[in-house]
Amino acid sequence: MASRKSSRGAGGSPSPGSKRETKHGGSKNGKKEGLSGSSFFTWFMVIALLGVWTSVAVVWFELVDYEEVLGKLGIYDADGDGDFDVEDAKVLLGLKERSVPAQPTSPDSEETIQPADKSHVESEHKNADVELEEEIQSVLHEALHSQPGEGHEDVDESINDQWQEKEEVHGETFEAPTTDDLLRELENEIPEAYETPDSDQKDADLLTDDLGAMESEPYEAPVSYEYDMDVEKTVSDPEAPEDGVHGDYNEDHESKHTEDVVANEPEESEMPVQAEDYSNDDLVGKSEKETEQDKTEKAKKKKKPKLLNKFDKTIKAELDAAEKLRKKGKVEEALRAFEELVNQYPQSPRARYGKAQSEDDLAEKMRSNEMLQKAINTYDEVVSLPNVPSDLIKMSLKREADRQQFLGRMRGSLVTLQKLVQLFPSDTSFKNDLGVGYLLIGDNSNAKKVYEEVLSLAPNDGFAKVHYGFILKAENKIAESIPYLKEGLESGDPGTDDGRFYFHLGDALQRMGDKEAYKWYELGYQRGHFASVWQRSLYNVKGLKAQPWWTARETGYTELVKSLEKNWKLIRDEGLAVMDKKRSLFLPEDENLREKGDWSQFTLWQQGRKNENACKSVPKTCALLERFPEATGCRRGQIKYSIMHPGTHVWPHTGPTNCRLRMHLGLVIPKEGCRIRCAQENRTWEEGKVLIFDDSFEHEVWQDAENYRLIFIVDVWHPELTAQQRRTLPAI
């Protein structure tokens, strides 16, 4: 016990005396000390952490809206570029002369205000730069403290820096020629408000108001906002022949074919006949990646568009605030803000353009054609205002034409494009778009004239070349079309890397007997436009089993095949009766698929729709087929009689989609001289027997017999398509 007490007294609790010494800064040994090193370090860390957390708080809680403060410095804009920067500070500090822009006399003159030449900056002495930086920092410091923010959200970029593109095709979309190529040039990649996700765009219904008289190689109409859930709509002519879809051209890049994702790897049987490897052939020209990188770098060097006129620069802060809301996705608030600006400043082109963009965004959000029409009207109003910068005129009309096409109003879009060409006659990109506008309404003749004019002004314009070649091939000027298609594709220009151009170039070369066709098919496959060299359909569903020839068991449609083969004489006799008494019901093939000969068809079902009048002539055949919805409900196929006379040769060609299989029932088959090739295998028909093949693979027909050949064609859904896909895939 004694030892325990002694221990406490010596080293346990301190004595009252020692407490007093410590309190007054002394120590146990009686010596006085100052602030210890550890205490100093502790206080230093506390102060440092307070500073850090204060800085974090300023940023996190947005106590200062730097964008707004800097925006207000725009009143000190001395060099006319619309904002306050180092160049303006130099002018204000007397280190540089003020550049005085010419007074605008027209909308065009508004864009003549250019920033001062930066060569003066490089000639300044280093000491002057240091002194300048110090003075600028003091000016900014004073401005920040005299104009405290009010907790607004940060603006990602100022009004002049807002135009950055968010990138999708479709591909669609493939990147086929986009109707917004000009905007990318002007704005260094402007955002596409309607670059809708593929899963959404699948649903669009089509408006075909202005597509009355389509030529043999028409463009395809775009879509509107009237949606059915999970349904992608494409234009299709109810009377379109079986393999003519490759002539259609969908200019609307908001409407991407989400099913157009082709299989990653071809099957062994799908490899080209040629043993040569064309993939690295020099004739192909620059790779698409290199070309696009070059063009992107060039675009970055281009000056940004001038969107503000002299008056709009005075309300730039208000425009920025409204634009901030739009960019943050607060579409309704942005629209209200721009509407207030338009009411307050009715002559402001930029405010009205912002209103149009907000309506455009809201139309996308609401899936509303009515709201989109309001946006179109507002875009048009922008151009009618006084002192509109030229770049803003271009952007407004360009977007107006694009949205009109989206609604299927092709003739209205054509008028808008004509206005653009009249205002900017030296800009060939607008002429290219005008040519597409004519193609969209089936006016190949005027489209041809436009592209001839473009090529006279810009002989190396790849976009004009591929479209001009496309038109020549539609006119059956096969040999003439080849150099234009080839040179256009080799150019790598935007809008040329499109599966349809590879398709038509290869097809033209095949018809001229040139084996180089397969080089271009190979390249199209490598670029992702075709499922394989042999399977070149353009409207595809990803992942479906792909093989040229099928058996009944593989399809799962054995009952249908059995019924056709069991009743083949009934089907034959009704067909022969039509040939004898109503021969006019057999219509000639009109897709330019024949090299020579006579080939006609009598259609009972088209795109899943029954032809009631036709079925009155073959009632038993139609009644037989009603039991098989995989055939009668196939909205990407037909059911029809096909008669081919001696001396007929059908060019190698492919069907439009991998979503169907084609059955041929032999009805009247000559003993010799008739054969069909699909991919690399030839077969012949037999009376009363069914042949099944996938017509998305290249196939070719010869009829060298002494008598006619009559078969019955039944298209069925690809067996791997789901019930949902069969209901929702658009008709072809």
Side-chain angles (χ1 to χ4, degrees):
M1 291 291 286
S3 64
R4 206 174 286 167
K5 287 181 182 178
S6 173
S7 173
R8 276 198 200 100
S13 302
S15 65
S18 67
K19 286 182 181 179
R20 281 195 298 273
E21 286 182 23
T22 304
K23 184 177 180 181
H24 293 287
S27 63
K28 293 180 184 179
N29 60 11
K31 293 182 180 179
K32 213 166 188 177
E33 294 181 351
L35 186 62
S36 68
S38 61
S39 299
F40 176 82
F41 180 75
T42 302
W43 280 108
F44 176 79
M45 290 301 296
V46 169
I47 293 171
L49 288 171
L50 282 174
V52 171
W53 283 109
T54 302
S55 301
V56 171
V58 169
V59 175
W60 185 264
F61 296 105
E62 299 177 338
L63 300 179
V64 178
D65 190 338
Y66 294 98
E67 187 72 23
E68 182 179 342
V69 173
L70 293 174
K72 291 184 178 180
L73 288 174
I75 61 174
Y76 298 108
D77 176 20
D79 60 4
D81 63 355
D83 58 7
F84 179 77
D85 53 21
V86 173
E87 299 302 307
D88 300 310
K90 287 185 178 182
V91 174
L92 294 175
L93 295 173
L95 300 176
K96 183 177 180 181
E97 293 184 2
R98 179 187 298 267
S99 60
V100 182
Q103 292 299 320
T105 57
S106 68
D108 287 343
S109 65
E110 288 297 333
E111 66 176 346
T112 61
I113 304 173
Q114 300 292 340
D117 190 346
K118 292 187 179 180
S119 62
H120 294 291
V121 179
E122 298 174 359
S123 65
E124 294 292 343
H125 193 275
K126 289 184 179 179
N127 292 338
D129 286 338
V130 172
E131 183 179 343
L132 171 63
E133 291 297 331
E134 291 176 353
E135 295 195 45
I136 291 175
Q137 291 298 328
S138 65
V139 171
L140 292 176
H141 178 78
E142 180 181 349
L144 290 173
H145 287 281
S146 62
Q147 296 287 344
E150 299 176 0
H152 297 299
E153 294 179 77
D154 290 340
V155 180
D156 294 333
E157 300 166 350
S158 70
I159 201 77
N160 282 338
D161 294 331
Q162 64 182 302
W163 312 110
Q164 299 294 327
E165 179 189 43
K166 69 173 182 70
E167 170 66 352
E168 176 266 254
V169 174
H170 144 341
E172 220 273 209
T173 123
F174 76 33
E175 249 331 359
T178 101
T179 55
D180 294 319
D181 284 339
L182 169 74
L183 297 188
R184 283 199 293 272
E185 292 180 8
L186 286 176
E187 305 170 353
N188 190 18
E189 316 245 327
I190 303 175
E192 275 301 321
Y194 285 89
E195 194 74 341
T196 57
D198 289 343
S199 57
D200 290 339
Q201 194 56 39
K202 281 183 7 181
D203 313 87
D205 276 336
L206 293 175
L207 297 178
T208 55
D209 339 49
D210 296 321
L211 301 177
M214 300 297 256
E215 297 190 12
S216 61
E217 296 278 5
Y219 272 32
E220 186 173 323
V223 299
S224 75
Y225 276 130
E226 302 302 332
Y227 272 54
D228 296 323
M229 289 306 294
D230 298 324
V231 181
E232 178 216 16
K233 300 293 183 183
T234 61
V235 139
S236 47
D237 181 357
E239 303 302 323
E242 60 183 272
D243 295 306
V245 179
H246 288 303
D248 295 343
Y249 185 91
N250 178 14
E251 177 59 20
D252 179 33
H253 287 276
E254 323 305 341
S255 129
K256 296 187 177 175
H257 300 287
T258 58
E259 87 235 46
D260 287 0
V261 183
V262 296
N264 291 328
E265 296 291 337
E267 304 203 1
E268 283 190 353
S269 63
E270 299 170 24
M271 297 309 292
V273 175
Q274 284 71 12
E276 301 170 86
D277 180 9
Y278 292 116
S279 59
N280 297 314
D281 198 303
D282 292 336
L283 186 60
V284 172
K286 295 184 293 183
S287 72
E288 193 69 18
K289 289 183 180 178
E290 291 176 346
T291 304
E292 291 304 322
Q293 286 175 357
D294 292 343
K295 293 187 180 297
T296 302
E297 289 175 1
K298 290 179 182 178
K300 287 180 180 178
K301 294 178 182 178
K302 292 182 180 179
K303 65 176 183 177
K304 293 180 181 177
K306 297 289 182 181
L307 305 181
L308 305 179
N309 65 13
K310 198 169 185 179
F311 172 75
D312 281 339
K313 289 176 183 177
T314 66
I315 59 168
K316 183 175 181 297
E318 296 172 77
L319 291 168
D320 278 340
E323 182 63 20
K324 179 201 303 183
L325 294 172
R326 193 181 76 83
K327 292 182 68 179
K328 293 291 185 182
K330 300 178 180 179
V331 184
E332 293 87 350
E333 295 179 46
L335 180 56
R336 287 194 294 271
F338 277 116
E339 284 176 338
E340 290 176 7
L341 286 173
V342 168
N343 291 334
Q344 189 174 356
Y345 310 113
Q347 299 302 304
S348 166
R350 182 62 186 87
R352 193 146 330 229
Y353 182 71
K355 177 175 178 281
Q357 286 184 303
S358 300
E359 291 168 338
D360 205 336
D361 293 347
L362 189 58
E364 157 67 14
K365 183 176 180 179
M366 298 170 59
R367 293 291 188 270
S368 168
N369 287 350
E370 182 180 356
M371 179 57 68
L372 185 56
Q373 184 58 52
K374 288 183 179 180
I376 290 171
N377 295 339
T378 308
Y379 283 124
D380 197 59
E381 292 171 4
V382 173
V383 183
S384 66
L385 295 174
N387 299 322
V388 186
S390 295
D391 288 347
L392 197 58
I393 291 175
K394 294 176 182 179
M395 290 162 55
S396 297
L397 290 177
K398 182 73 173 176
R399 188 64 177 174
E400 180 184 350
D402 177 81
R403 300 298 80 194
Q404 288 171 317
Q405 289 179 9
F406 184 82
L407 286 179
R409 291 167 189 170
M410 304 305 170
R411 297 189 185 279
S413 173
L414 192 63
V415 171
T416 304
L417 291 169
Q418 287 170 336
K419 186 187 299 185
L420 262 174
V421 169
Q422 289 169 0
L423 290 172
F424 307 99
S426 63
D427 194 325
T428 56
S429 69
F430 294 136
K431 287 184 169 66
N432 279 334
D433 292 337
L434 179 61
V436 171
Y438 281 119
L439 288 171
L440 283 168
I441 63 170
D443 190 349
N444 285 21
S445 177
N446 273 318
K448 185 178 181 181
K449 293 176 184 177
V450 169
Y451 289 122
E452 286 173 343
E453 183 180 353
V454 171
L455 291 172
S456 69
L457 297 171
N460 296 320
D461 190 309
F463 185 93
K465 282 186 175 182
V466 290
H467 286 79
Y468 191 65
F470 178 92
I471 295 168
L472 289 175
K473 186 169 181 293
E475 295 175 346
N476 204 30
K477 296 177 180 178
I478 306 299
E480 292 179 48
S481 72
I482 290 173
Y484 288 100
L485 288 166
K486 185 183 295 186
E487 291 170 16
L489 284 170
E490 287 173 348
S491 74
D493 288 350
T496 60
D497 186 27
D498 184 305
R500 282 160 287 210
F501 301 133
Y502 288 95
F503 177 90
H504 283 292
L505 175 56
D507 184 60
L509 289 167
Q510 276 186 309
R511 297 189 183 198
M512 296 301 295
D514 191 336
K515 295 295 184 180
E516 189 187 353
Y518 286 94
K519 183 197 77 174
W520 290 98
Y521 291 147
E522 172 69 27
L523 184 59
Y525 160 61
Q526 291 177 2
R527 295 279 170 85
H529 301 307
F530 307 138
S532 77
V533 172
W534 293 108
Q535 190 180 22
R536 300 190 299 272
S537 53
L538 296 177
Y539 295 77
N540 301 320
V541 167
K542 181 180 179 180
L544 298 181
K545 182 178 180 179
Q547 63 187 43
W549 294 98
W550 290 65
T551 65
R553 180 173 295 180
E554 285 176 323
T555 68
Y557 300 134
T558 53
E559 290 302 315
L560 172 58
V561 173
K562 287 178 182 178
S563 180
L564 291 173
E565 292 183 342
K566 180 180 178 180
N567 296 282
W568 75 274
K569 290 183 179 179
L570 179 153
I571 298 170
R572 178 197 63 187
D573 292 344
E574 286 196 326
L576 291 174
V578 172
M579 287 177 59
D580 291 339
K581 300 176 182 177
K582 301 179 181 178
R583 196 174 190 83
S584 61
L585 294 178
F586 277 83
L587 302 177
E589 178 274 325
D590 60 356
E591 298 176 85
N592 191 28
L593 294 176
R594 287 169 292 159
E595 178 188 10
K596 57 182 180 178
D598 185 351
W599 175 24
S600 299
Q601 300 166 343
F602 171 43
T603 303
L604 308 180
W605 268 268
Q606 177 90 12
Q607 298 177 334
R609 295 194 299 268
K610 183 179 180 181
N611 185 331
E612 298 290 350
N613 289 331
C615 279
K616 289 177 182 178
S617 300
V618 288
K620 293 179 181 178
T621 298
C622 289
L624 178 71
L625 289 164
E626 294 280 11
R627 297 169 38 215
F628 301 102
E630 63 266 30
T632 59
C634 181
R635 292 181 298 106
R636 294 197 161 189
Q638 303 90 34
I639 300 175
K640 58 193 176 185
Y641 289 90
S642 173
I643 183 170
M644 189 174 289
H645 294 276
T648 301
H649 173 231
V650 178
W651 292 112
H653 63 286
T654 62
T657 178
N658 73 341
C659 295
R660 74 187 186 200
L661 300 179
R662 176 154 287 186
M663 297 183 178
H664 280 189
L665 173 65
L667 300 179
V668 178
I669 308 298
K671 290 184 178 180
E672 293 181 352
C674 294
R675 71 187 191 278
I676 178 173
R677 174 183 66 83
C678 186
Q680 296 170 283
E681 184 178 351
N682 289 339
R683 295 196 181 180
T684 58
W685 296 272
E686 295 181 45
E687 293 183 355
K689 297 296 180 181
V690 171
L691 283 179
I692 308 173
F693 66 101
D694 184 339
D695 77 324
S696 65
F697 285 81
E698 178 183 297
H699 53 287
E700 184 176 9
V701 177
W702 296 265
Q703 215 290 42
D704 297 321
E706 296 181 355
N707 201 357
Y708 67 84
R709 180 224 66 179
L710 179 66
I711 62 172
F712 190 59
I713 298 175
V714 179
D715 289 336
V716 293
W717 284 118
H718 192 291
E720 292 182 355
L721 287 174
T722 66
Q724 170 73 3
Q725 288 172 317
R726 298 181 190 202
R727 286 195 303 270
T728 59
L729 281 170
I732 291 178

